[in-house]
Amino acid sequence: MKLSDAEWKVMQALWEGSPASARDVLERVGDETEWAYTTVKTLLTRLRDKGAVSEDKRSNTGWYVPLLSRQQARRSALRSLVDKAFDGTFGSLVHHLIDTESLDAAEKRRLRDLLDSLDGKSEP
Amino acid sequence: MKLSDAEWKVMQALWEGSPASARDVLERVGDETEWAYTTVKTLLTRLRDKGAVSEDKRSNTGWYVPLLSRQQARRSALRSLVDKAFDGTFGSLVHHLIDTESLDAAEKRRLRDLLDSLDGKSEP
DNA sequence: GACAACCTTCTACATCTGTAGCAGGCTCTT
DNA sequence: AAGAGCCTGCTACAGATGTAGAAGGTTGTC
C-alpha cells in the first residue's frame, strides 16, 4: 500500500485516535496545513477507495477508522525506499545511517541499547 | 531534490558510471524495465531540467553526468521518509528497524560493530 | 550520394496528486 | 417551519509522473 505525502498526514491524524470525522482530521492537521475541509474529505475518500481506512456513516457524518496500521504503512514505505535507494538491503540503509547521518551520541547510545536488549530474545 | 521512482532508476544507472549516453542508461536498466529509448531520454531531460544531471553534447550525442550524488539523494529521500513517517526522528526509524524489521543476526552484529567503530572518532 | 542506423527534439496522453468549489441534504435551535 | 451551520457527493483543474510515438537531423558505409 503506497500512500502519498498528503495521505500520510491524514493517516497520522487517524492513528492519533479513531473513529474520527473529517472535521477531527482537519483539526488535527491544522498545525501543519491550511487545508480546506473538502481537501480532507477528498483524501479520506481516496483512502477509503484504496482500502486504507473504513468509513462508517452515522446519521449524516462519516466516521473513519484506519485499516492500515501505522506499522504496516511504515514497513511498506521503508521497503520502497530501501528498494529504490539502498540496493534493497537494510544493511545498506543502516550503513548510510551510521556513516552519513551523524546520529548524535545519545541516539547512538540508544541504538546500541536497543541492540543489546534484543540479543536475548532474538538468538535461538 | 526529490526524485521520482523512475528518476531514481536512471540516476542509479548514471552512478554506475558516467558520462553515459541515453543508450548506456537504457542498457543498464534493461534488467529492471522494458522502457523505450525515448522514455529514458525524457527522464534524462527532466533530470537535466531539475539540475540533477548535466548534459554535454559531443557531435550528435548527449552525455550525462550526475550532479546530484548518490549520498545526497539518499540523504534527502531518507529525510523525507523520516519526516513523513517516523515523527521526524532517526531514533524512531532506528527503533522501527530493530523492533519490526527483523534484521538478521549478522546485520545486527554489523550494526553494533559500526557503532563501536564510531565511538572513538565521534566523541569530542 | 544514398541508405541504414542512430541520434535528437517535440508532442501526447493517461494516471496520480494536491487542492478545492459548488450544490444540495441533514439537523438543531429558535 | 425556517434559517444557520455543518455534512455529503460530485466535479474540476493544474502540476507531476510514467510512458512513448512521430518527424526530422547526423553519420558511417558501400
mmCIF file of all heavy atoms in Angstrom, chain D residues 17-18 21 25 27:
data_model
loop_
_atom_site.group_PDB
_atom_site.id
_atom_site.type_symbol
_atom_site.label_atom_id
_atom_site.label_comp_id
_atom_site.label_asym_id
_atom_site.label_seq_id
_atom_site.Cartn_x
_atom_site.Cartn_y
_atom_site.Cartn_z
ATOM 1 P P DT D 17 7.306 14.354 -9.641
ATOM 2 O OP1 DT D 17 7.628 13.783 -8.313
ATOM 3 O OP2 DT D 17 8.309 15.078 -10.438
ATOM 4 O "O5'" DT D 17 6.746 13.164 -10.550
ATOM 5 C "C5'" DT D 17 5.697 12.357 -10.066
ATOM 6 C "C4'" DT D 17 5.359 11.302 -11.093
ATOM 7 O "O4'" DT D 17 4.543 11.862 -12.130
ATOM 8 C "C3'" DT D 17 6.546 10.662 -11.804
ATOM 9 O "O3'" DT D 17 6.557 9.299 -11.387
ATOM 10 C "C2'" DT D 17 6.268 10.862 -13.296
ATOM 11 C "C1'" DT D 17 4.781 11.144 -13.308
ATOM 12 N N1 DT D 17 4.243 12.022 -14.385
ATOM 13 C C2 DT D 17 3.175 11.559 -15.128
ATOM 14 O O2 DT D 17 2.677 10.450 -14.976
ATOM 15 N N3 DT D 17 2.701 12.437 -16.061
ATOM 16 C C4 DT D 17 3.170 13.709 -16.328
ATOM 17 O O4 DT D 17 2.649 14.405 -17.188
ATOM 18 C C5 DT D 17 4.286 14.130 -15.508
ATOM 19 C C7 DT D 17 4.869 15.495 -15.703
ATOM 20 C C6 DT D 17 4.766 13.279 -14.595
ATOM 21 P P DG D 18 7.555 8.237 -12.038
ATOM 22 O OP1 DG D 18 7.748 7.150 -11.057
ATOM 23 O OP2 DG D 18 8.722 8.948 -12.608
ATOM 24 O "O5'" DG D 18 6.700 7.664 -13.242
ATOM 25 C "C5'" DG D 18 5.549 6.889 -12.971
ATOM 26 C "C4'" DG D 18 5.069 6.232 -14.254
ATOM 27 O "O4'" DG D 18 4.534 7.246 -15.120
ATOM 28 C "C3'" DG D 18 6.167 5.525 -15.049
ATOM 29 O "O3'" DG D 18 5.638 4.275 -15.503
ATOM 30 C "C2'" DG D 18 6.453 6.479 -16.208
ATOM 31 C "C1'" DG D 18 5.099 7.140 -16.411
ATOM 32 N N9 DG D 18 5.128 8.505 -16.964
ATOM 33 C C8 DG D 18 6.002 9.511 -16.637
ATOM 34 N N7 DG D 18 5.752 10.629 -17.274
ATOM 35 C C5 DG D 18 4.652 10.341 -18.062
ATOM 36 C C6 DG D 18 3.927 11.155 -18.974
ATOM 37 O O6 DG D 18 4.131 12.341 -19.267
ATOM 38 N N1 DG D 18 2.871 10.483 -19.564
ATOM 39 C C2 DG D 18 2.554 9.172 -19.310
ATOM 40 N N2 DG D 18 1.506 8.679 -19.966
ATOM 41 N N3 DG D 18 3.220 8.397 -18.463
ATOM 42 C C4 DG D 18 4.254 9.043 -17.881
ATOM 43 P P DG D 21 6.043 3.530 -28.751
ATOM 44 O OP1 DG D 21 5.256 2.283 -28.844
ATOM 45 O OP2 DG D 21 7.513 3.492 -28.814
ATOM 46 O "O5'" DG D 21 5.497 4.532 -29.887
ATOM 47 C "C5'" DG D 21 4.096 4.840 -29.861
ATOM 48 C "C4'" DG D 21 3.855 6.096 -30.668
ATOM 49 O "O4'" DG D 21 4.426 7.235 -29.978
ATOM 50 C "C3'" DG D 21 4.480 6.076 -32.063
ATOM 51 O "O3'" DG D 21 3.579 6.682 -32.986
ATOM 52 C "C2'" DG D 21 5.739 6.923 -31.905
ATOM 53 C "C1'" DG D 21 5.321 7.930 -30.843
ATOM 54 N N9 DG D 21 6.428 8.407 -30.038
ATOM 55 C C8 DG D 21 7.284 7.636 -29.286
ATOM 56 N N7 DG D 21 8.183 8.331 -28.641
ATOM 57 C C5 DG D 21 7.901 9.644 -28.976
ATOM 58 C C6 DG D 21 8.545 10.849 -28.573
ATOM 59 O O6 DG D 21 9.515 11.000 -27.821
ATOM 60 N N1 DG D 21 7.945 11.973 -29.153
ATOM 61 C C2 DG D 21 6.864 11.922 -29.996
ATOM 62 N N2 DG D 21 6.424 13.100 -30.444
ATOM 63 N N3 DG D 21 6.247 10.811 -30.375
ATOM 64 C C4 DG D 21 6.823 9.716 -29.828
ATOM 65 P P DG D 25 15.475 18.161 -40.732
ATOM 66 O OP1 DG D 25 15.412 19.628 -40.859
ATOM 67 O OP2 DG D 25 15.370 17.293 -41.926
ATOM 68 O "O5'" DG D 25 16.818 17.798 -39.943
ATOM 69 C "C5'" DG D 25 17.195 18.640 -38.843
ATOM 70 C "C4'" DG D 25 18.314 17.969 -38.091
ATOM 71 O "O4'" DG D 25 17.939 16.617 -37.777
ATOM 72 C "C3'" DG D 25 19.628 17.873 -38.856
ATOM 73 O "O3'" DG D 25 20.698 18.061 -37.921
ATOM 74 C "C2'" DG D 25 19.613 16.449 -39.400
ATOM 75 C "C1'" DG D 25 18.913 15.717 -38.267
ATOM 76 N N9 DG D 25 18.213 14.491 -38.636
ATOM 77 C C8 DG D 25 17.082 14.363 -39.397
ATOM 78 N N7 DG D 25 16.674 13.129 -39.527
ATOM 79 C C5 DG D 25 17.589 12.382 -38.805
ATOM 80 C C6 DG D 25 17.659 10.991 -38.574
ATOM 81 O O6 DG D 25 16.901 10.101 -38.986
ATOM 82 N N1 DG D 25 18.751 10.650 -37.781
ATOM 83 C C2 DG D 25 19.654 11.554 -37.278
ATOM 84 N N2 DG D 25 20.652 11.051 -36.537
ATOM 85 N N3 DG D 25 19.605 12.860 -37.475
ATOM 86 C C4 DG D 25 18.541 13.207 -38.255
ATOM 87 P P DT D 27 27.548 14.363 -37.095
ATOM 88 O OP1 DT D 27 28.140 14.735 -35.794
ATOM 89 O OP2 DT D 27 27.795 15.159 -38.313
ATOM 90 O "O5'" DT D 27 27.926 12.852 -37.389
ATOM 91 C "C5'" DT D 27 27.077 11.802 -36.882
ATOM 92 C "C4'" DT D 27 27.456 10.493 -37.509
ATOM 93 O "O4'" DT D 27 26.385 10.033 -38.389
ATOM 94 C "C3'" DT D 27 28.700 10.530 -38.403
ATOM 95 O "O3'" DT D 27 29.294 9.244 -38.321
ATOM 96 C "C2'" DT D 27 28.105 10.769 -39.784
ATOM 97 C "C1'" DT D 27 26.919 9.818 -39.684
ATOM 98 N N1 DT D 27 25.811 10.028 -40.619
ATOM 99 C C2 DT D 27 25.054 8.917 -40.937
ATOM 100 O O2 DT D 27 25.266 7.812 -40.500
ATOM 101 N N3 DT D 27 24.020 9.166 -41.802
ATOM 102 C C4 DT D 27 23.677 10.382 -42.377
ATOM 103 O O4 DT D 27 22.732 10.476 -43.134
ATOM 104 C C5 DT D 27 24.527 11.486 -41.995
ATOM 105 C C7 DT D 27 24.234 12.864 -42.564
ATOM 106 C C6 DT D 27 25.541 11.263 -41.166
#
